[in-house]
Amino acid sequence: MRLVFAGTPEVALPSLRAFIDSSRHDVVAVVTRPDAPSGRGRRLERSPVGALADEHGIEVLTPAKAGEPEFLERLRALEPDLCPVVAYGNLLPQRTLDVPKFGWVNLHFSVLPAWRGAAPVQASVRNGDDITGASTFRIVKELDAGPVFGVVTEKVRDRDTSGDLLTRLSLSGADLLLSTVDGIEDGTLRAVDQPDDGVTYAAKISVEDARLDFTTPATAVDRLARAVTPEPGAWAEFRGERLKLGPVTPVADVTLPAGEVLVERKRVLVGTATTAVALGEVQAQGKKRMAATDWARGVRIESGERIA
């Protein structure tokens, strides 16, 4: 089939590579977010999907909005049979959805109808889910509510960050998306409506949402820290300045007042509403990321000081 692939970040690359390598399908163009400023010089850079397309000589479309007349004209001229989507990050109006014969098929990183929305993997880690997965579905006007073609599942490991989990799902999800498109082409696959029960939503996580609250239980602090790693990154305040924090580890046999810091020879502990957590890597303002023990030696933490 003639495909126009839509996606933006690195997590979409395994799927795009799968279609490029497939002998059954022809990727005639990709749609991605516009080039964005990056680095100290704020130079415009292609998205990861756009850069991979450039490497393979595939046309790259970068509309600011997916309903722009110029974009729609070019999309219609390309005559795609189907548009696979992975983390594109732009709304698709109905006039755009109507262009390809078989519609737009999205790879979403949850087992729908659970965790519809922008941050399903982060929500799964923060919620303490045992199992998550990925789903392919036909895009409709309502958010992530279209009929489902296929699902793969993935165990959420005890120390998974959202980055760890998303990496695994991007690989298994690529296989799922390719097999879904194959099945649509063959006429052997039919989409099934999502059930009304079990719908949950996963809103995008802001920087403010990623602030750790040490007045909550250790389990909650641990899950949030892992959920927002690598993006947007956990943080708290120490001595009035922001302190970036990596994942923490619950410590069952130590209790401290919430937020109080205890420096030991090989670990730095912080109290929560239950038991303490051990800090992993930290990054103070203007400093490099380092082990918590190295940071603690440098700032010379006094007895009773707190992170909040």
Side-chain angles (χ1 to χ4, degrees):
M1 282 201 290
R2 289 175 61 83
L3 305 178
V4 171
F5 181 92
T8 297
E10 288 188 11
V11 71
L13 296 183
S15 292
L16 177 54
R17 289 192 183 102
F19 287 117
I20 291 173
D21 293 341
S22 172
S23 61
R24 296 185 56 169
H25 308 294
D26 182 16
V27 181
V28 297
V30 303
V31 185
T32 190
R33 295 295 296 272
D35 297 359
S38 179
R40 288 186 177 181
R42 309 304 290 165
R43 296 179 61 182
L44 291 178
E45 287 191 5
R46 278 280 205 221
S47 72
V49 163
L52 181 59
D54 286 338
E55 290 176 15
H56 289 270
I58 299 170
E59 181 177 352
V60 178
L61 307 176
T62 59
K65 294 183 178 180
E68 292 177 349
E70 296 84 358
F71 167 68
L72 280 174
E73 182 179 359
R74 182 56 187 151
L75 184 64
R76 293 187 182 109
L78 288 166
E79 299 183 335
D81 296 307
L82 185 147
C83 296
V85 184
V86 185
Y88 171 38
N90 215 336
L91 293 176
L92 299 168
Q94 191 62 49
R95 59 186 178 276
T96 305
L97 295 177
D98 291 340
V99 173
K101 176 181 178 181
F102 294 101
W104 296 66
V105 176
N106 190 45
L107 173 65
H108 183 77
F109 296 111
S110 78
V111 178
L112 292 169
W115 303 131
R116 296 176 181 176
V121 175
Q122 291 92 330
S124 187
V125 173
R126 187 173 185 177
N127 192 61
D129 293 348
D130 294 322
I131 299 291
T132 188
S135 307
T136 50
F137 69 95
R138 181 179 291 114
I139 296 179
V140 297
K141 187 174 182 180
E142 185 180 350
L143 178 66
D144 298 336
V148 173
F149 289 102
V151 171
V152 292
T153 58
E154 177 73 33
K155 179 177 174 56
V156 183
R157 300 169 187 171
D158 289 344
R159 302 310 305 157
D160 267 341
T161 65
S162 62
D164 297 331
L165 186 53
L166 191 54
T167 295
R168 299 201 304 275
L169 287 172
S170 71
L171 298 174
S172 60
D175 291 338
L176 172 64
L177 185 57
L178 178 60
S179 65
T180 295
V181 174
D182 288 347
I184 292 172
E185 182 183 40
D186 293 339
T188 58
L189 194 59
R190 295 290 182 272
V192 177
D193 289 341
Q194 296 183 36
D196 294 330
D197 295 335
V199 175
T200 51
Y201 290 93
K204 183 178 180 179
I205 297 177
S206 68
V207 172
E208 190 59 37
D209 294 332
R211 183 173 187 169
L212 300 186
D213 181 359
F214 292 98
T215 67
T216 60
T219 298
V221 175
D222 167 43
R223 288 177 179 174
L224 177 57
R226 289 187 290 111
V228 298
T229 299
E231 295 293 339
W235 63 280
E237 284 191 357
F238 178 72
R239 295 178 182 171
E241 293 188 345
R242 182 170 296 191
L243 183 68
K244 295 181 180 179
L245 300 168
V248 302
T249 304
V251 178
D253 58 348
V254 178
T255 301
L256 294 168
E260 185 171 310
V261 183
L262 175 63
V263 180
E264 298 183 340
R265 190 167 68 89
K266 293 186 177 181
R267 61 184 183 178
V268 178
L269 305 179
V270 181
T272 75
T274 53
T275 56
V277 295
L279 300 184
E281 290 188 326
V282 304
Q283 184 177 7
Q285 287 187 340
K287 303 292 185 180
K288 295 182 178 180
R289 186 173 290 269
M290 65 184 71
T293 49
D294 294 334
W295 164 77
R297 282 194 293 269
V299 298
R300 297 183 179 180
I301 295 173
E302 299 178 2
S303 176
E305 282 198 278
R306 297 184 180 227
I307 293 178

